[in-house]
Amino acid sequence: MADIFAWLISFFILIALIVLVIYQLMCLADLEFDYINPYDSASRINKVVLPEYIIVGVLCSFYLVTGHWIMALFCAPYIYYNVRLYRQGTHLIDVTEIFNLLPKEKKQRLVKLFYLVFILFLSLFWMIYTSLEDHDD
C-alpha cells in the first residue's frame, strides 16, 4: 500500500513539473507573438527555472529513497542536463538575447516537456501495476 502512495506522490510531482515547463513555453509563445515584452517574459521564466531544477532533484531523490531505481535512472539524464546548464551559467534567460535564442529555448522546453510526459506515463504504468499487484494479495 505504501508503494501506491509513493507512485501517487511522484505522479503529482511530475504534474507540477509539467505545469512549470508549460508555463515557460507559454511565456515564450507570448513573447514570440509580441503579447509581452522581453523583460517580463525573461523574469517570469527565470523565476521558475530554479524551482524546476529543485523539484526534479527532489523527485529523483524520492525515487532513490523509495527504491525505484529504474525511474531514478530515467531522471538522471534530465538532472545531468539541468546541472550542466546551471554550471555553464546558461540556465537563466538573458533579456538582451531572448529574441536570438527564442527558437532554441522553445525547442529545449519542448524536449523537456516530452521527456516529462514519458516519465509520467511510466509512473502511471507502475502505479497501476502496483495497485493491481496489491489487489491480488
Side-chain angles (χ1 to χ4, degrees), residues 31-76:
L31 179 67
E32 184 178 23
F33 294 117
D34 211 20
Y35 295 137
I36 192 171
N37 64 25
Y39 177 77
D40 288 339
S41 181
S43 66
R44 289 179 184 179
I45 291 171
N46 289 341
K47 283 180 188 175
V48 297
V49 168
L50 284 179
E52 174 197 350
Y53 289 5
I54 291 169
I55 293 172
V56 170
V58 167
L59 179 66
C60 188
S61 301
F62 180 73
Y63 283 143
L64 288 173
V65 167
T66 57
H68 299 117
W69 312 112
I70 301 297
M71 292 301 288
L73 285 175
F74 277 125
C75 284

Side-chain angles (χ1 to χ4, degrees), residues 4-112:
I4 293 174
F5 288 121
W7 288 117
L8 276 173
I9 290 169
S10 72
F11 176 78
F12 289 121
I13 291 173
L14 282 166
I15 292 295
L17 281 170
I18 289 172
V19 166
L20 285 177
V21 172
I22 288 174
Y23 176 75
Q24 293 175 25
L25 278 169
M26 286 175 38
C27 287
L28 289 172
D30 286 349
L31 179 67
E32 184 178 23
F33 294 117
D34 211 20
Y35 295 137
I36 192 171
N37 64 25
Y39 177 77
D40 288 339
S41 181
S43 66
R44 289 179 184 179
I45 291 171
N46 289 341
K47 283 180 188 175
V48 297
V49 168
L50 284 179
E52 174 197 350
Y53 289 5
I54 291 169
I55 293 172
V56 170
V58 167
L59 179 66
C60 188
S61 301
F62 180 73
Y63 283 143
L64 288 173
V65 167
T66 57
H68 299 117
W69 312 112
I70 301 297
M71 292 301 288
L73 285 175
F74 277 125
C75 284
Y78 193 88
I79 289 178
Y80 170 74
Y81 183 71
N82 287 344
V83 168
R84 190 176 63 118
L85 285 178
Y86 185 79
R87 293 188 74 155
Q88 291 175 350
T90 57
H91 63 290
L92 298 176
I93 294 181
D94 185 18
V95 177
T96 59
E97 291 292 319
I98 194 167
F99 280 114
N100 296 335
L101 300 175
L102 190 62
K104 177 187 168 262
E105 294 291 334
K106 282 179 61 177
K107 189 181 301 182
Q108 171 188 346
R109 279 155 179 87
L110 278 173
V111 169
K112 283 184 176 186

Side-chain angles (χ1 to χ4, degrees), residues 7 10-11 14 63 71 119-127:
W7 288 117
S10 72
F11 176 78
L14 282 166
Y63 283 143
M71 292 301 288
I119 293 175
L120 178 73
F121 282 132
L122 284 178
S123 178
L124 200 58
F125 167 77
W126 283 112
M127 182 173 55

Side-chain angles (χ1 to χ4, degrees), residues 124-135:
L124 200 58
F125 167 77
W126 283 112
M127 182 173 55
I128 292 170
Y129 179 77
T130 303
S131 67
L132 292 176
E133 188 178 71
D134 283 350
H135 182 68

